[in-house]
């Protein structure tokens, strides 16, 4: 690991070099980084600089310090992804614990919204998933997920199948795509016939709509998701 460190704060440059090794697979999810003294030696910076760079990545949820074992590249797990990225709750504040079922999946030409959200050009292809997320057998969310087709070719969702793992776990395990962060936008909408059939509401019924753009470690958008619900609330805790 070499490279000139100049012009920007050293810890930011060190952080970017560490992140690059995560992105290129030198350190894989679940694996451990070399020791701080070794990293400091490799980069030619102080341990304090390395420590600050690593703390920045810990704060982003990309690294995790484990007492007596070192610093781990955080793998997505069902529980970790569920609690980090799931913002839907019941009206009384109870957590939503969903099971997802794939309704349809296939490759299609990206529409205007897909292209804008994912930064794709005209004629680009996306993998489109339609699914419900249910609790105790009751569908509460209807979702459309669009993904750039080529990076997600190995996802291979089966229509009719239940997705027992959180989908971000599958992105990482099957496609090597790690979601680093997501931006949600909240709006309202009306139920289409397909949504009404899936959610058991009347066509035209008012729905909460959450649009999400999820971003990879590289900073590139990799998921455009639209989630509709008639029963759940959206909650974000602000510190």
């Amino acid at each position: 690991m070499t490279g000139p460190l100049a012009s920007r704060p050293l810890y930011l440059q060190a952080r970017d070099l560490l992140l690059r090794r995560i992105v290129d697979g030198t350190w894989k999810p679940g694996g451990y980084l070399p020791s701080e003294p070794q990293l400091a030696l490799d980069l030619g910076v102080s341990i304090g600089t390395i420590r600050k760079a690593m703390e920045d990545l810990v704060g982003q949820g990309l690294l995790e310090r484990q007492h007596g074992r070192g610093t781990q590249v955080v793998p997505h797990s069902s529980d970790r992804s569920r609690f980090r990225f799931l913002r839907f709750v019941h009206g009384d504040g109870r957590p939503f614990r969903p099971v997802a079922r794939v309704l349809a999946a296939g490759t299609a030409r990206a529409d205007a919204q897909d292209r804008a959200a994912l930064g794709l050009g005209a004629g680009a292809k996306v993998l489109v998933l339609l699914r419900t997320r249910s609790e105790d057998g009751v569908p509460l969310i209807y979702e459309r997920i669009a993904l750039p087709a080529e990076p997600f070719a190995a996802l291979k969702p089966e229509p009719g199948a239940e997705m027992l793992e959180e989908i971000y776990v599958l992105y990482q395990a099957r496609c090597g795509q790690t979601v680093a962060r997501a931006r949600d936008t909240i709006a309202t909408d009306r139920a289409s016939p397909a949504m009404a059939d899936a959610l058991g509401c009347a066509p035209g019924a008012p729905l909460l709509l959450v649009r999400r753009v999820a971003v990879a470690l590289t900073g590139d958008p990799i998921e455009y998701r639209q989630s509709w619900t008639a029963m759940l609330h959206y909650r974000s805790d602000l510190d």
Side-chain angles (χ1 to χ4, degrees):
M1 184 185 298
T2 59
L5 299 179
S7 77
R8 295 175 64 217
L10 282 178
Y11 87 92
L12 291 178
Q13 296 176 68
R15 178 204 63 189
D16 290 348
L17 289 173
L18 299 179
L19 179 59
R20 190 181 306 164
R21 296 305 186 269
I22 298 172
V23 171
D24 69 18
T26 300
W27 302 320
K28 299 184 183 301
Y32 288 84
L33 273 62
S35 67
E36 289 177 355
Q38 183 61 54
L39 290 171
L41 181 64
D42 289 346
L43 290 183
V45 297
S46 70
I47 290 180
T49 296
I50 285 294
R51 191 164 293 151
K52 189 172 182 181
M54 293 172 74
E55 285 299 331
D56 194 281
L57 295 176
V58 168
Q60 294 181 43
L62 303 179
L63 298 179
E64 181 177 66
R65 296 190 183 277
Q66 298 194 357
H67 182 69
R69 301 190 66 182
T71 302
Q72 183 186 44
V73 180
V74 173
H76 279 318
S77 67
S78 286
D79 284 345
R80 185 186 298 274
S81 289
R82 181 177 294 116
F83 292 117
R84 182 179 176 195
F85 291 103
L86 182 62
R87 292 290 179 263
F88 288 105
V89 297
H90 291 279
D92 60 5
R94 287 181 295 117
F96 173 50
R97 300 184 181 277
V99 173
R101 178 177 291 275
V102 179
L103 302 176
T107 303
R109 190 180 299 273
D111 65 22
Q113 287 191 56
D114 297 335
R115 294 196 302 273
L118 297 172
L120 301 175
K125 296 293 184 67
V126 288
L127 173 62
V128 177
L129 281 70
L130 300 179
R131 67 176 191 167
T132 56
R133 303 181 83 180
S134 304
E135 188 175 65
D136 298 328
V138 179
L140 296 177
I141 298 176
Y142 179 90
E143 287 188 325
R144 179 187 184 273
I145 298 174
L147 308 163
E150 186 174 346
F152 288 91
L155 189 61
K156 294 182 169 57
E158 292 291 334
E162 288 189 348
M163 303 183 81
L164 301 179
E165 294 276 16
E166 285 295 307
I167 198 167
Y168 289 175
V169 178
L170 301 180
Y171 292 175
Q172 189 178 72
R174 295 184 185 178
C175 308
Q177 299 290 328
T178 296
V179 172
R181 63 186 186 277
R183 182 182 69 252
D184 290 352
T185 304
I186 303 170
T188 59
D189 203 359
R190 296 282 179 177
S192 69
M195 295 173 199
D197 183 62
L199 297 175
C201 63
L207 300 177
L208 173 69
L209 167 61
V210 178
R211 296 185 178 95
R212 166 172 292 181
V213 177
V215 176
L217 294 172
T218 57
D220 298 316
I222 57 172
E223 179 198 65
Y224 176 50
R225 180 188 303 208
Q226 296 161 282
S227 303
W228 291 268
T229 181
M231 301 295 293
L232 297 173
H233 292 201
Y234 183 94
R235 183 175 71 189
S236 181
D237 297 321
L238 302 177
D239 295 326

